[in-house]
């Protein structure tokens, strides 16, 4: 069932997976593909896409498999799987070269894309993600995102209650229509009314967040994590060799494969407490050491979620200048 507020198109990849996407046309020959985070969707980037499109840049936003209106197969989910999906989607749409703007998990996907398809990558914008982190820091980050995972699989009495709860989140210092659209898009009605009785952009009765918990658990598993901290311990004892191998694979990021200009946007505002930012200074220093053509832009007044959900003209201008340079 298509989610609330859907206006996306569907592309069927060679793998058979159907991916939902939307194109914001521009005059640029190389398009910008926007890759959202762990529990995001294509609505995350629509305001930015609209602005860049007006300035002549072709922007494509899409739902990762497992989210929004894209297929949600009960298979493995990982950054490498998403990177392959992105390559196939860009080819289907007729592009042989692309730029990527990504947030959080999307930054990992960008790195895996560069690892396998570096010649296809023109420029990369990594927003608050893709850093090399210690195990202690990874666990700290996992604890930080627990609040955003609580909505998965939950039956919500109505979309109004869903929005009311979101407005109370300590992770958001402001509220706007873009955030509302992003949240409503991930809702799927499960009421008894027929779709034909739900006029326009309104649905009634209970709903559920359309991201299956198994999708997120698989994503985190392939990064050495789990939906809950106890799951990390369970995986360690269940298969120590496999767990250690996963940790080692994600310990060092493939920065050397980024042979294109890279812009890293870092959110410095604490999420819950000072020092819990997703990209600590140590991670930025490693990026500076290993990525040749790197520029870092810092958002001092926004946290990990606000850096994409809240408006910021200076951030958008920085992205535009980078893409046009």
């Amino acid at each position: 069932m298509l989610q609330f507020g859907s206006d996306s198109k569907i592309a069927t990849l060679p793998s058979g997976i159907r991916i939902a996407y939307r194109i914001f046309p521009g005059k640029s020959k190389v398009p910008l593909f926007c890759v959202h985070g762990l529990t995001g969707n294509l609505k995350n980037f629509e305001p930015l896409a609209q602005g860049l499109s007006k300035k002549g840049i072709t922007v494509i936003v899409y739902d990762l498999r497992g989210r929004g209106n894209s297929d949600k197969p009960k298979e493995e989910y990982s950054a490498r799987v998403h990177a392959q999906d992105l390559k196939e989607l860009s080819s289907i749409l007729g592009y042989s070269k692309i730029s990527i703007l990504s947030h959080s998990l999307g930054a990992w996907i960008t790195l895996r894309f560069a690892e396998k398809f570096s010649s296809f990558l023109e420029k990369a914008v990594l927003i608050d993600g893709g850093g090399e982190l210690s195990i202690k820091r990874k666990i700290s980050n996992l604890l930080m995102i627990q609040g955003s995972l609580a909505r998965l699989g939950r039956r919500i009495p109505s979309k109004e209650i869903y929005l009311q709860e979101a407005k109370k989140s300590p992770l958001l210092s402001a509220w706007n229509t873009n955030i509302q659209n992003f949240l409503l898009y991930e809702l799927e009605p499960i009421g008894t009314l027929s779709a034909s009785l739900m006029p326009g952009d309104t649905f009634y009765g209970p709903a559920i967040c359309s991201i299956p918990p198994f999708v997120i658990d698989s994503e985190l598993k392939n990064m050495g994590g789990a939906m809950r901290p106890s799951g990390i311990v369970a995986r360690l004892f269940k298969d120590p060799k496999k767990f250690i191998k996963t940790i080692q694979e994600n310990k060092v990021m493939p920065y050397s494969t980024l042979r294109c200009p890279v812009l890293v946007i870092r959110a410095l505002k604490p999420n819950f407490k000072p020092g819990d930012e997703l990209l600590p200074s140590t991670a930025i220093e490693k990026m500076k050491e290993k990525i040749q053509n790197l520029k870092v832009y810092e958002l001092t007044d926004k946290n990990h979620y606000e850096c994409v959900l809240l408006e910021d003209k200076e951030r958008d201008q920085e992205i535009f200048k980078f893409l046009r340079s």
Side-chain angles (χ1 to χ4, degrees), residues 88-119:
E88 293 181 6
L89 176 62
S90 61
S91 295
I92 283 177
L93 296 180
Y95 300 110
S96 58
K97 196 110 177 173
I98 67 172
S99 291
I100 301 175
L101 180 146
S102 54
H103 174 240
S104 197
L105 169 68
W108 287 56
I109 296 169
T110 303
L111 290 169
R112 295 308 180 191
F113 185 94
E115 188 177 43
K116 192 172 181 180
F117 311 110
S118 62
S119 62

Side-chain angles (χ1 to χ4, degrees), residues 38-323:
L38 188 68
T39 59
N41 59 57
L42 59 76
K43 292 288 183 181
N44 281 143
F45 298 108
E46 285 198 346
L48 174 63
Q50 290 169 350
L52 291 175
S53 175
K54 290 177 182 178
K55 293 181 178 181
I57 295 176
T58 299
V59 185
I60 297 158
V61 298
Y62 73 102
D63 293 323
L64 295 175
R65 66 163 68 194
R67 286 84 166 174
N69 290 320
S70 291
D71 280 347
K72 305 173 178 67
K74 288 191 175 181
E75 299 174 359
E76 181 179 295
Y77 289 76
S78 71
R80 288 189 173 92
V81 169
H82 293 305
Q84 182 64 39
D85 285 348
L86 176 54
K87 174 60 173 61
E88 293 181 6
L89 176 62
S90 61
S91 295
I92 283 177
L93 296 180
Y95 300 110
S96 58
K97 196 110 177 173
I98 67 172
S99 291
I100 301 175
L101 180 146
S102 54
H103 174 240
S104 197
L105 169 68
W108 287 56
I109 296 169
T110 303
L111 290 169
R112 295 308 180 191
F113 185 94
E115 188 177 43
K116 192 172 181 180
F117 311 110
S118 62
S119 62
F120 290 87
L121 191 54
E122 179 83 3
K123 291 184 178 180
V125 181
L126 309 179
I127 303 179
D128 220 39
E132 289 185 9
L133 307 174
S134 66
I135 294 178
K136 181 180 179 181
R137 191 67 186 222
K138 286 182 179 180
I139 293 175
S140 173
N141 287 351
L142 177 61
L143 292 172
M144 191 278 292
I145 66 171
Q146 288 297 296
S148 68
L149 302 182
R151 70 191 194 276
L152 306 186
R154 252 185 81 213
R155 182 185 175 97
I156 301 103
S158 70
K159 62 183 178 67
E160 289 79 14
I161 290 177
Y162 196 61
L163 294 177
Q164 288 172 10
E165 291 180 354
K167 288 179 181 179
K168 297 176 183 178
S169 172
L171 291 169
L172 294 174
S173 61
W175 185 266
N176 58 43
T177 304
N178 299 328
I179 297 175
Q180 177 172 301
N181 291 340
F182 154 67
L183 289 169
L184 289 179
Y185 181 77
E186 73 178 15
L187 280 186
E188 184 175 311
I190 53 174
T192 56
L193 285 178
S194 165
S196 64
L197 299 179
M198 301 178 192
D201 286 339
T202 302
F203 65 76
Y204 302 91
I208 191 171
C209 176
S210 64
I211 308 172
F214 72 80
V215 170
I216 305 305
D217 194 48
S218 180
E219 301 276 18
L220 293 172
K221 178 182 178 181
N222 278 293
M223 291 190 287
M227 287 269 296
R228 295 176 180 81
S230 59
I232 298 176
V233 178
R235 282 170 178 159
L236 172 60
F237 282 101
K238 183 178 180 180
D239 195 337
K241 290 185 178 179
K242 185 176 181 180
F243 180 81
I244 293 173
K245 181 182 178 182
T246 301
I247 293 295
Q248 291 176 336
E249 286 180 349
N250 291 290
K251 186 178 181 180
V252 179
M253 295 288 94
Y255 294 138
S256 61
T257 62
L258 284 169
R259 302 188 183 98
C260 64
V262 179
L263 171 64
V264 170
I265 297 179
R266 181 189 182 198
L268 291 181
K269 179 184 173 183
N271 296 287
F272 289 108
K273 59 183 181 180
D276 69 352
E277 67 273 14
L278 269 285
L279 276 183
S281 297
T282 52
I284 294 296
E285 290 307 313
K286 287 181 180 178
M287 286 180 165
K288 289 180 177 178
E289 289 175 10
K290 300 179 180 181
I291 302 176
Q292 291 186 351
N293 196 345
L294 173 68
K295 181 177 182 180
V296 179
Y297 179 74
E298 296 182 336
L299 292 169
T300 58
D301 62 341
K302 291 178 176 61
N303 63 28
H304 181 67
Y305 297 94
E306 294 172 338
C307 67
V308 291
L309 291 176
L310 297 185
E311 296 177 1
D312 192 306
K313 291 183 179 179
E314 291 185 7
R315 173 203 61 200
D316 296 352
Q317 183 61 24
E318 196 70 25
I319 292 171
F320 175 70
K321 286 195 303 182
F322 171 75
L323 295 172

Side-chain angles (χ1 to χ4, degrees), residues 15-31:
S15 62
I17 294 294
R18 293 169 297 182
I19 297 293
Y21 70 96
R22 184 180 178 188
I23 299 178
F24 293 82
K27 297 179 181 178
S28 59
K29 293 182 180 179
V30 177

